[in-house]
Amino acid sequence: MAATARAGAAALFFVLAGCATTSGTPSAPAPVGPVEVVGSEPILAAADLGDYGAILPSVYFMADGERHAYFIGFGEERGDQRAFHATSADGVDWTIDEEDPLAQLGLDLSPPGPIPGTVLQADDGTWVMYLGGLEAPLLRGGVIWRATSDSPAGPWVADPEPIVGLGERGEWDDLGIDFPAVVRTDEGWLMLYGGVGNADRESSSIGLATSEDGITWTKEPEPVLRPDLCAGPDGRVATLARLLPTDDGFLLLYDRGRETGAATSPDGRTWTCASREPILRAADVPGSEGIHTMAATLIDGKVSLLIESLIGQGGSELWLGELELP
């Protein structure tokens, strides 16, 4: 069933599925959340993509006044997954392209294949995608790649080598990294990504990398956000980063173990818990068995979210949500 393929993909896609702040003492929360679920029905089912049981919202962004998204459909068997590009005027009704936008990527990757994390436009008008992937035939050790296209819809062609790799042996992210969340800043480019290490495979944290040109990246040696930031000493998961610019810095939404956490930062390096309680959990979505992840973008001064809600038999469906900026 879809749960078989899903299990391999959900382990932080390349090993991170669990749940680690800059200190073990939670800081005072800032007012963020909760997420408001829009409507009483899901906006997309996995079956809307084809013969799939689970659907992951990989990227969500605006281009020329239109909403764009990349979804990943997961089928019954390991390796049975595919990326889809779609557009929408309102976030509810989506038009899904038939062509595979990653068919020309040029990478040989193990399941679950390429997982886009961010799409944005460069100064020269071209489009840039940052994605996670596991080089074949490896079973773990995902790294981060860069791809380019003339259109936000693709087709995409990847650079031949990863742009952000694993940590050295013994470092906190020496087992796998993924889900790059990238924004442009006045100083250059800033990336948050999930990571896990061999020393503690059950705990994941979020790291930081910076770049002057979006191509050559420098990683910070330690995580900038660990799972105890909002969840306290029992926290084990901080991954699947979604990074948004605000007037005062940045808002981060992330998975804290089938629930959604939020943090704020003036510079992307020092993070403050924005809500001690999760801003989104299963009870907030009708019929949900857990919140796996979401994709987020800014629209009309609010955060618009595509929420992946887990349902029976290892499947998932997508709901639309909204969140006020802090």
Side-chain angles (χ1 to χ4, degrees):
M1 309 185 72
T4 304
R6 184 67 166 178
L12 183 92
F13 294 102
F14 315 113
V15 158
L16 288 178
C19 282
T21 203
T22 51
S23 73
T25 303
S27 49
V32 171
V35 172
E36 179 183 351
V37 175
V38 177
S40 58
E41 299 289 339
I43 58 170
L44 280 174
D48 293 328
L49 303 180
D51 189 18
Y52 299 100
I55 176 173
L56 182 144
S58 186
V59 184
Y60 185 24
F61 62 101
M62 295 293 294
D64 298 325
E66 189 173 38
R67 303 183 195 215
H68 291 249
Y70 283 84
F71 305 123
I72 310 296
F74 291 91
E76 293 186 353
E77 302 297 331
R78 183 176 183 271
D80 182 11
Q81 72 276 316
R82 210 204 96 177
F84 295 82
H85 171 262
T87 54
S88 174
D90 58 7
V92 176
D93 296 316
W94 288 86
T95 300
I96 300 169
D97 294 347
E98 293 184 2
E99 298 296 323
D100 183 348
L102 304 185
Q104 301 177 34
L105 198 60
L107 299 178
D108 184 15
L109 302 178
S110 297
I115 306 291
T118 299
V119 171
L120 42 73
Q121 193 168 27
D123 290 337
D124 63 1
T126 61
W127 290 84
V128 182
M129 173 184 286
Y130 295 93
L131 59 143
L134 175 62
E135 291 183 90
L138 298 177
L139 298 179
R140 60 177 55 133
V143 293
I144 293 170
W145 306 78
R146 174 182 177 271
T148 55
S149 174
D150 291 332
S151 165
W156 296 90
V157 177
D159 296 347
E161 300 294 333
I163 58 166
V164 181
L166 296 177
E168 297 295 330
R169 185 176 179 84
E171 293 183 337
W172 73 275
D173 59 352
D174 66 351
L175 185 58
I177 62 175
D178 80 346
F179 247 91
V182 180
V183 297
R184 298 285 300 272
T185 71
D186 292 339
E187 292 74 33
W189 304 61
L190 185 150
M191 176 194 297
L192 295 185
Y193 63 92
V196 68
N198 280 287
D200 186 357
R201 298 188 179 194
E202 302 301 320
S203 178
S204 55
S205 299
I206 292 175
L208 170 68
T210 56
S211 173
E212 294 183 357
D213 58 8
I215 300 173
T216 302
W217 292 82
T218 301
K219 295 165 60 177
E220 293 293 312
E222 297 294 333
V224 294
L225 190 144
R226 302 180 188 270
D228 58 350
L229 178 64
C230 292
D234 295 330
R236 302 295 293 162
V237 175
T239 188
L240 305 180
R242 303 299 191 175
L243 184 62
L244 298 163
T246 67
D247 290 340
D248 300 322
F250 302 97
L251 170 66
L252 170 65
L253 307 180
Y254 65 99
D255 174 33
R256 47 183 281 186
R258 298 296 185 252
E259 299 174 330
T260 301
T264 57
S265 172
D267 57 8
R269 288 175 169 80
T270 303
W271 290 90
T272 299
C273 178
S275 176
R276 193 73 60 233
E277 297 298 319
I279 62 170
L280 183 66
R281 61 183 82 198
D284 300 323
V285 180
S288 179
E289 298 179 3
I291 306 302
H292 183 234
T293 188
M294 87 290 298
T297 192
L298 296 175
I299 300 177
D300 297 329
K302 291 185 177 181
V303 181
S304 180
L305 303 104
L306 301 175
I307 302 164
E308 182 189 8
S309 172
L310 302 177
I311 54 177
Q313 305 298 315
S316 65
E317 59 190 13
L318 297 189
W319 292 70
L320 185 65
E322 287 187 347
L323 176 67
E324 296 285 348
L325 283 171

